[in-house]
Amino acid sequence: MSTSRQPPSTFVLPYQAQWSDMDQNGHMRTTAYLAAAEDSRMQYFAAAGFSMREFTRLQIGPVVQTDELRYQAELRLLDEASLEIQLAGLSPDGARFGLRNIFTRADGRVACTVTTIGGWLDLKQRRLTCPPGNLLTLLTNLTRAG
C-alpha cells in the first residue's frame, strides 16, 4: 500500500545550471532542460509517497509521449533558478496527463517551459491505464498551468 503524503499544490525545487548542462554557445542545452524536468517530476511523486519502489509494486509508471520546450530567456553556467511543476491537462480517467515545468531565473524571468504529455503505463500489459485514486488525487491537486 502506498504511504501517500499530500505535498503542497505548488511544488518548486531550486536549480543551478551546471557545466554539463551547457551547449557550445554557453546556454543551457535542450537535453539538460528535459533531464531536469524529468527528475523534478520523480521528486514530486516521491515526496508524496510514490517512490520508484512504489511504482514497481503497483506495476505502473509514467511514460512520456511528447515534450515541448519554449525558450524565453537564457540560463548560463551557475545561474540559479527555480523549477516549478504544474498540471497542464488531465484526461477524465487520469490515464493521460500534461505536466508543465517552469524554469524561472533568480531575476524572476521565465527561462524555459517544458510541457510534457504522457500517461500511466501498465508495466505488465504494456498499455496505458488509469492510476490508483491517490495518484490521481496527487495530480489533480497540482497548481493548474495558466
Side-chain angles (χ1 to χ4, degrees), residues 19 25 27 30 45 50 82 86 90 124 146:
W19 176 259
N25 298 318
H27 308 130
T30 299
F45 294 131
F50 285 95
S82 63
Q86 297 179 345
L90 191 63
K124 290 181 182 175

Side-chain angles (χ1 to χ4, degrees), residues 47-121:
F50 285 95
S51 64
M52 284 306 303
R53 181 181 306 249
E54 182 62 9
F55 282 124
T56 300
R57 186 188 74 74
L58 293 169
Q59 289 294 291
I60 65 169
V63 61
V64 171
Q65 295 170 314
T66 63
D67 285 306
E68 177 182 286
L69 285 80
R70 182 164 186 235
Y71 304 103
Q72 296 170 262
E74 298 170 343
L75 274 180
R76 294 186 179 273
L77 182 60
L78 301 180
D79 282 352
E80 294 184 2
S82 63
L83 180 48
E84 181 177 356
I85 302 171
Q86 297 179 345
L87 183 66
L90 191 63
S91 67
D93 64 359
R96 291 175 179 80
F97 57 79
L99 295 173
R100 181 163 298 144
N101 289 91
I102 303 169
F103 292 78
T104 304
R105 299 177 346 167
D107 66 5
R109 289 186 63 200
V110 172
C112 181
T113 58
V114 178
T115 303
T116 300
I117 305 300
W120 297 106
L121 183 67

Side-chain angles (χ1 to χ4, degrees), residues 125-143:
Q125 297 183 17
R126 308 308 291 173
R127 63 184 171 121
L128 291 185
T129 188
C130 300
N134 49 353
L135 182 54
L136 182 58
T137 298
L138 181 64
L139 288 172
T140 60
N141 286 340
L142 266 173
T143 300

Side-chain angles (χ1 to χ4, degrees), residues 7-35:
S9 61
T10 301
F11 191 79
V12 182
L13 297 170
Y15 186 81
Q16 186 173 38
Q18 304 172 52
W19 176 259
S20 59
D21 294 337
M22 298 298 107
D23 67 13
Q24 69 277 8
N25 298 318
H27 308 130
M28 193 153 146
R29 295 181 294 114
T30 299
T31 55
Y33 281 112
L34 290 171

